[in-house]
Amino acid sequence: MATIRARKQADGSTRYTAIVRIRRGKTTVYQEYKTFALRAAATSWAKHREVTLEQPGALTRVNHGAPTLAELIRWYIDTFESISKWQRSKQAHLEFLERHTLGKAGALSLTAAMLIDHVRSRLAKGAGWATMAND
């Protein structure tokens, strides 16, 4: 549960700081705070953050940031290469996408437009449709 603290300013106004903490046992795992002019705004923000942080994986994303496409590709290769053997072409395409500028993009911020631009640029450089299907 969030804490709301009221503080008097030098000009006589009151500011409200909403503090959201997540603890595991006695250890504070995550803490975030924000100050508002209205108590209702502070309460609303705190409730919204608590609900957001309860979602699976949300705390990890907040603490470590969103992964890039290259990080996900590397995780996929490291995890599944030993489980499921694949051919050279798949390995080459995965490593290409990992090194490509598209790999530097945040995995959660990828859009269809970014993928279409990637395909168009590869086609302009002479890649064929089979290569696009692999990409």
Side-chain angles (χ1 to χ4, degrees):
M1 181 165 182
T3 303
I4 308 295
R5 290 194 179 155
R7 296 183 303 143
K8 288 281 188 185
Q9 299 294 308
D11 63 358
S13 65
T14 304
R15 302 280 290 174
Y16 300 93
T17 302
I19 305 167
V20 177
R21 283 191 190 104
I22 297 176
R23 293 186 176 152
R24 302 282 187 251
K26 293 184 179 183
T27 306
T28 301
V29 177
Y30 179 77
Q31 177 175 311
E32 183 177 4
Y33 53 90
K34 195 169 181 180
T35 303
F36 298 89
L38 301 173
R39 183 179 196 90
T43 304
S44 175
W45 177 83
K47 287 180 182 176
H48 180 264
R49 286 304 294 163
E50 286 178 333
V51 169
T52 302
L53 292 170
E54 284 177 0
Q55 296 175 358
L59 193 58
T60 304
R61 282 193 302 274
V62 170
N63 284 336
H64 301 292
T68 63
L69 182 60
E71 290 171 343
L72 288 180
I73 290 171
R74 177 51 44 197
W75 170 83
Y76 176 79
I77 291 171
D78 293 343
T79 304
F80 293 105
E81 186 177 23
S82 62
I83 297 170
S84 171
K85 300 293 182 196
W86 54 65
Q87 302 298 320
R88 284 182 307 137
S89 62
K90 181 172 183 171
Q91 184 74 26
H93 277 92
L94 287 171
E95 290 173 354
F96 170 78
L97 288 173
E98 185 180 17
R99 292 186 312 270
H100 195 270
T101 55
L102 189 64
K104 293 176 181 70
L108 300 177
S109 62
L110 275 177
T111 62
M114 293 170 75
L115 297 175
I116 291 169
D117 288 342
H118 169 72
V119 169
R120 285 183 179 155
S121 70
R122 294 276 286 149
L123 287 172
K125 292 178 183 175
W129 286 106
T131 303
M132 291 302 91
N134 286 333
D135 280 5

